[in-house]
């Protein structure tokens, strides 16, 4: 994965639909917005998509089917406490995404690999949002 792709991930606006309506944005290496604190508590969370595996544009029908499969997989994880709609927004693109509360990094790493995603955003409780690179080979890691 090249640095320009990592820079794109870092500059993306990760939007989460709030339960009471409206959207809030998560940004890599920034504190989690206060409007998400009650929803998350001290749990781990992740912002992930199944759209455009390998960062290669796919037909909308393929992306929708993959996103539905990801939603089902997230619902089946025993630690999942909440799933909210999300939207990753860049300069000239946007991808439907999911904000999930509860699963640990190993669970999300596995799903990121299964859905061929290069990276996702995650955090613990009210801490900072971090970009996590995916790989089919350990170790997984933070983008530096």
């Amino acid at each position: 994965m090249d640095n320009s792709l990592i820079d794109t991930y870092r500059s993306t606006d990760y939007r989460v639909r709030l339960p009471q309506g409206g959207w809030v944005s998560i940004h890599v290496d920034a504190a989690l917005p206060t409007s998400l604190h009650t929803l998350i508590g001290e749990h781990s969370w992740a912002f992930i998509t199944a759209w455009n595996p390998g960062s290669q544009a796919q037909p909308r029908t393929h992306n929708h089917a993959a996103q539905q499969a990801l939603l089902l997989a997230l619902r089946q994880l025993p630690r999942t406490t909440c799933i909210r709609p999300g939207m990753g927004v860049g300069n000239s693109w946007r991808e439907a995404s999911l904000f999930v509360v509860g699963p640990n990094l190993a669970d999300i790493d596995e799903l990121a690999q299964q859905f061929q995603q290069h990276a996702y955003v995650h955090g613990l409780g009210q801490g900072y949002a971090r970009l996590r690179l995916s790989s089919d080979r350990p170790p997984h890691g933070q983008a530096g």
Side-chain angles (χ1 to χ4, degrees):
M1 182 174 6
D2 65 24
N3 286 337
S4 65
L5 188 54
I6 292 173
D7 290 344
T8 298
Y9 293 144
R10 286 187 169 288
S11 65
T12 294
D13 184 13
Y14 298 96
R15 298 178 186 170
V16 177
R17 181 80 168 146
L18 296 170
Q20 65 273 23
W23 296 83
V24 65
S25 294
I26 296 172
H27 297 280
V28 172
D29 295 331
L32 192 70
T34 57
S35 54
L36 292 172
H37 289 185
T38 302
L39 187 66
I40 293 169
E42 295 301 316
H43 295 286
S44 59
W45 59 267
F47 190 99
I48 188 169
T49 188
W51 276 51
N52 301 321
S55 299
Q56 299 297 313
Q58 298 294 313
R60 193 173 205 76
T61 55
H62 180 272
N63 284 330
H64 282 292
Q67 193 75 351
Q68 287 301 310
L70 174 60
L71 177 59
L72 179 62
L74 289 168
R75 285 180 176 158
Q76 292 175 343
L77 293 175
R79 293 181 185 91
T80 298
T81 62
C82 177
I83 302 172
R84 300 295 309 156
M87 182 69 59
V89 179
N91 288 334
S92 60
W93 60 272
R94 60 184 49 225
E95 293 179 340
S97 301
L98 297 166
F99 178 77
V100 59
V101 178
N104 62 31
L105 285 177
D107 291 335
I108 300 299
D109 283 344
E110 188 174 315
L111 289 175
Q113 290 172 25
Q114 178 182 340
F115 289 94
Q116 301 173 35
Q117 298 299 307
H118 286 305
Y120 62 90
V121 176
H122 74 98
L124 179 61
Q126 300 169 13
Y128 279 52
R130 301 293 184 208
L131 181 65
R132 186 158 173 93
L133 302 180
S134 303
S135 172
D136 60 354
R137 297 177 310 274
H140 307 283
Q142 305 300 330

